[in-house]
Amino acid sequence: MVPSKYSNANVLSTLVKRDPASEEEFERAKEHGDVAYNEIQAAFSGCDSNAQEFAPEALNNGWTRKRDQNDPLEKVWADAFQDLIKPEGDKIPTKERVFNVRVNQDKPFTNKQGEQVDEFSPSARYYQYYVPVISAIVISEINSPFNQVRRRYVFADKPVPSSQYIAGHLVPPLNRWSDVTWTIWKEKAGDTANNLRYLAHDAIENEATDEIAAYIFAKARNSQDVPYPGLDFGMDSREGRALLGTPNGIGTARILIDRAKELGKRELRVRIFTSDTNGLCMLWDMVPPKSQRRGLGVAQLNRREFYAKFPSPLVKHATQEDFLRHKRQGDTAYDDVQRAYARNLSHARKPTVEDFPPESLANGWLRDDQDGVLPPDQVWETIFANLPGQSITLTAQQSSFITVAWEKPFTTRQGLQNPDFDSGALYSQFYIPSISAIIAANNHSPAQRVKDRFRRRQQPIPSSEEISNHYVPPLSRWSDVTWTIWRQKAGSNTTANRLRYIARDVITNEDTRALMEFIFRNYRGTDVVPFPGLEFGMDTDEGRALLGTPNGIGTARLLIDRAAQLGRRDPRVRIFTSRHDFS
């Protein structure tokens, strides 16, 4: 519901006037999001959050239900859920299936110490729509008792009590948004409470959240008017983590942490958009494992649907200087490949792949195997069937989708236990030995995550050798992890050594995307170049420049490290767009 201080005519104008966050503020929000995300992962791993259960009667202590009735959803959310979920029959959120509940903390209460407290905060309130038929809660207004107490002391120019004192003495035991929301949700949803999936924030007023959203809108679209479907991010992105670190994101994290036992492990995505009647809107999707295949299930399908409507937002654009820089990096990589061929010797660090059995992935990594899975929309089936001069039949039955995520402590090369890990580091790929192909889907290396961690803390970044020896598992590079799993899935050295195709699905790396756009525009005058796209050999500047991108260097590393197994190869690269995805 639109807050009363806004009129429909000026919601957007108010939003546009909000200055975007600075880079420093964005990084600070991302740091908060990183902490929250790690706490979520710890909760999923079984760490007890000590969350308290409250009966609905607990809301009688200091709270009043100002409203508890059936009301229709706001149009912007009815339309959004219709697009995302496409509910039918008894799943359509009609008025009689939507519960509009408003609670205010507007009367004396008994605190955790059993003391009667007569001072309360009538402006503390939670106004929300509970919609069990679509597993959703739409949040209209949030003003927590905790924050209202702090404001009361600030306005009175008195020292603000500690958080522990406020929680124990100055607010009702049931006071946090996550606890109040879960208590009412259980009452309304009954046996389906654990299916909760969507948390929608309507007409966001929080200044910090507004500014982070404005920063992201400006970077991605150079505009503050970004209507639905807006922008969608996973927690493997900087934007997703920063939004999780906002005041409107932390509550979602708290729900997942406190209710991990009930909700189970979820993959988290967030969508932000603007509405000319409701201002800034934020939708959190807590995707359950059965419908989320490590970034390539329902959420990935929605991302493809999104790109079918809007071009991929390019945050940066390459220049001629960028092109030449990538070409120099590609020249170096290509020379290393040729030296490996000349020696018929792997330049990989020792030990080589024979010393990395699949069991090595138990050191710091969690692994998830799913057979019979391919990217949605039959994109790659079509591509392989229509490669010039070839016709390769690809079916889901041939493919295994495997994700390994750096989600637990590990033993370093020195044999020391290191408890620091980053669950954002993962490799998600499709392994298809029958056609000698690997389709890389979502890759974030532990080494890069370690560098990001030091950069956020404004600390000197360790050298590559120090990171390799002390901060990441021995088996951590994309080329080593990929070859280890590939060799296992291939079943024999003969099949493994036939590896021919490395495909990159839905490229998100900004540098790679910018260079591809630069080449597309030079050749075709547009950044939409469908398959078969453009093909280059390593005797061209374009081929060398693409080899020098973050998405090309991994392929070079694989050729260098596995020269003894793969033998001499003549690499070629094809780039194209598929429904506005870069591949």
Side-chain angles (χ1 to χ4, degrees):
M1 182 175 181
V2 180
S4 58
K5 75 177 189 176
Y6 288 146
S7 71
N8 288 352
N10 69 11
V11 171
L12 257 187
S13 62
T14 304
L15 179 65
V16 172
K17 290 177 182 176
R18 184 81 77 191
D19 291 330
S22 65
E23 183 68 32
E24 181 180 353
E25 290 168 331
F26 178 85
E27 288 297 328
R28 187 161 57 246
K30 182 181 176 296
E31 288 178 8
H32 292 162
D34 289 338
V35 172
Y37 187 76
N38 287 336
E39 289 183 4
I40 292 171
Q41 299 310 308
F44 288 159
S45 299
C47 295
D48 193 352
S49 68
N50 296 316
Q52 187 175 352
E53 289 292 328
F54 293 93
E57 295 75 29
L59 283 168
N60 296 331
N61 183 20
W63 295 90
T64 300
R65 291 203 188 201
K66 295 293 188 181
R67 178 179 294 182
D68 189 342
Q69 64 187 43
N70 298 113
D71 285 320
L73 283 176
E74 290 272 342
K75 185 177 186 303
V76 64
W77 290 110
D79 291 346
F81 286 122
Q82 179 62 39
D83 178 65
L84 284 171
I85 306 173
K86 299 176 177 57
E88 298 178 352
D90 60 0
K91 297 298 183 182
I92 298 174
T94 53
K95 175 182 175 180
E96 62 273 13
R97 297 174 182 143
V98 178
F99 302 94
N100 183 3
V101 181
R102 301 183 178 186
V103 293
N104 286 68
Q105 202 262 293
D106 59 357
K107 59 185 181 184
F109 59 92
T110 302
N111 65 20
K112 288 185 177 180
Q113 316 305 320
E115 303 164 338
Q116 183 71 13
V117 180
D118 295 325
E119 193 170 13
F120 51 86
S121 304
S123 56
R125 59 189 180 270
Y126 300 126
Y127 293 175
Q128 306 183 128
Y129 294 84
Y130 297 81
V131 199
V133 293
I134 57 171
S135 306
I137 299 171
V138 179
I139 301 136
S140 296
E141 291 191 51
I142 299 178
N143 286 296
S144 73
F146 191 95
N147 284 338
Q148 291 303 316
V149 168
R150 291 174 60 91
R151 289 172 185 168
R152 190 165 72 224
Y153 276 82
V154 170
F155 292 153
D157 200 23
K158 296 179 181 179
V160 178
S162 68
S163 298
Q164 184 176 4
Y165 186 85
I166 293 175
H169 296 271
L170 303 180
V171 295
L174 176 54
N175 70 85
R176 294 193 308 176
W177 172 81
S178 56
D179 289 333
V180 172
T181 297
W182 183 255
T183 300
I184 300 174
W185 171 254
K186 282 201 308 178
E187 173 193 338
K188 298 300 183 185
D191 294 341
T192 65
N194 295 352
N195 295 336
L196 176 63
R197 175 164 176 175
Y198 301 102
L199 292 174
H201 290 262
D202 185 46
I204 292 172
E205 290 186 272
N206 185 276
E207 182 177 347
T209 303
D210 269 355
E211 290 177 351
I212 294 298
Y215 174 95
I216 295 171
F217 285 148
K219 288 282 187 179
R221 293 286 179 83
N222 195 29
S223 171
Q224 298 304 313
D225 183 5
V226 183
Y228 182 86
L231 303 175
D232 177 71
F233 303 101
M235 293 303 103
D236 55 352
S237 69
R238 286 164 42 83
E239 294 85 356
R241 294 290 184 94
L243 290 166
L244 186 65
T246 64
N248 292 81
I250 290 296
T252 298
R254 194 74 257 166
I255 283 272
L256 286 168
I257 294 166
D258 289 350
R259 308 302 162 188
K261 291 180 180 178
E262 293 90 342
L263 297 175
K265 189 168 186 178
R266 303 293 184 95
E267 293 288 345
L268 194 57
R269 299 193 68 82
V270 59
R271 184 185 300 273
I272 55 174
F273 58 94
T274 58
S275 162
D276 58 1
T277 57
N278 294 48
L280 175 62
C281 299
M282 177 185 289
L283 176 62
W284 292 95
D285 185 356
M286 303 179 290
V287 186
K290 289 183 179 179
S291 57
Q292 170 73 12
R293 291 178 173 162
R294 304 292 289 182
L296 281 170
V298 171
Q300 177 73 7
L301 183 59
N302 288 339
R303 181 164 67 158
R304 285 190 181 278
E305 291 174 347
F306 166 73
Y307 285 137
K309 298 177 182 178
F310 295 97
S312 306
L314 281 168
V315 176
K316 62 190 297 185
H317 300 274
T319 63
Q320 182 68 26
E321 182 179 348
D322 294 324
F323 179 87
L324 294 175
R325 174 170 52 83
H326 283 300
K327 181 183 178 298
R328 288 193 294 270
Q329 294 169 345
D331 288 340
T332 300
Y334 187 74
D335 289 344
D336 286 345
V337 172
Q338 298 310 307
R339 278 194 289 270
Y341 290 158
R343 297 178 184 174
N344 193 25
L345 177 68
S346 170
H347 284 236
R349 63 175 189 277
K350 305 300 181 187
T352 58
V353 67
E354 281 69 32
D355 296 309
F356 283 122
E359 294 76 29
S360 300
L361 286 167
N363 183 21
W365 298 90
L366 289 179
R367 176 168 169 170
D368 178 39
D369 287 44
Q370 297 183 29
D371 295 327
V373 179
L374 280 175
D377 297 352
Q378 296 188 319
V379 171
W380 288 101
E381 293 96 318
T382 303
I383 289 168
F384 278 106
N386 291 280
L387 283 173
Q390 302 185 63
S391 180
I392 299 173
T393 301
L394 171 60
T395 64
Q397 288 71 28
Q398 301 168 276
S399 173
S400 294
F401 180 55
I402 300 176
T403 292
V404 290
W406 187 26
E407 292 190 352
K408 58 183 181 179
F410 61 96
T411 302
T412 68
R413 290 182 176 280
Q414 276 64 42
L416 301 175
Q417 187 75 4
N418 190 330
D420 292 331
F421 58 91
D422 190 324
S423 53
L426 56 83
Y427 300 123
S428 294
Q429 305 184 116
F430 300 85
Y431 295 83
I432 319 169
S434 63
I435 64 167
S436 305
I438 297 171
I439 303 176
N442 196 0
N443 293 315
H444 300 276
S445 73
Q448 187 58 52
R449 290 293 179 175
V450 169
K451 293 177 183 177
D452 291 343
R453 184 196 309 161
F454 278 86
R455 191 176 293 111
R456 287 195 305 271
R457 296 172 180 172
Q458 297 183 330
Q459 297 174 343
I461 298 175
S463 67
S464 297
E465 184 176 359
E466 288 176 313
I467 291 175
S468 177
N469 288 331
H470 302 285
Y471 294 99
V472 298
L475 177 54
S476 66
R477 291 196 308 180
W478 175 83
S479 55
D480 289 334
V481 172
T482 298
W483 182 260
T484 299
I485 298 174
W486 170 255
R487 191 162 171 266
Q488 178 196 19
K489 298 305 292 186
S492 70
N493 290 337
T494 301
T495 302
N497 296 347
R498 291 181 184 143
L499 176 62
R500 176 169 178 177
Y501 301 103
I502 301 289
R504 301 278 179 173
D505 183 57
V506 192
I507 291 172
T508 58
N509 183 276
E510 292 180 5
D511 288 337
T512 304
R513 289 171 66 85
L515 185 73
M516 290 173 67
E517 182 213 27
F518 180 88
I519 295 172
F520 285 149
R521 290 194 178 278
N522 278 351
Y523 273 78
R524 297 286 176 84
T526 177
D527 62 357
V528 179
V529 181
F531 184 83
L534 303 173
E535 185 184 29
F536 303 100
M538 293 302 107
D539 55 349
T540 65
D541 290 348
E542 291 81 3
R544 295 288 184 94
L546 290 165
L547 187 65
T549 64
N551 292 84
I553 288 295
T555 300
R557 189 75 255 170
L558 191 64
L559 288 170
I560 294 166
D561 290 351
R562 312 302 161 188
Q565 292 93 345
L566 297 175
R568 181 179 289 274
R569 301 296 181 91
D570 181 18
R572 300 188 66 80
V573 58
R574 183 184 302 276
I575 56 174
F576 53 90
T577 57
S578 173
R579 300 184 66 181
H580 298 295
D581 292 334
F582 283 29
S583 303

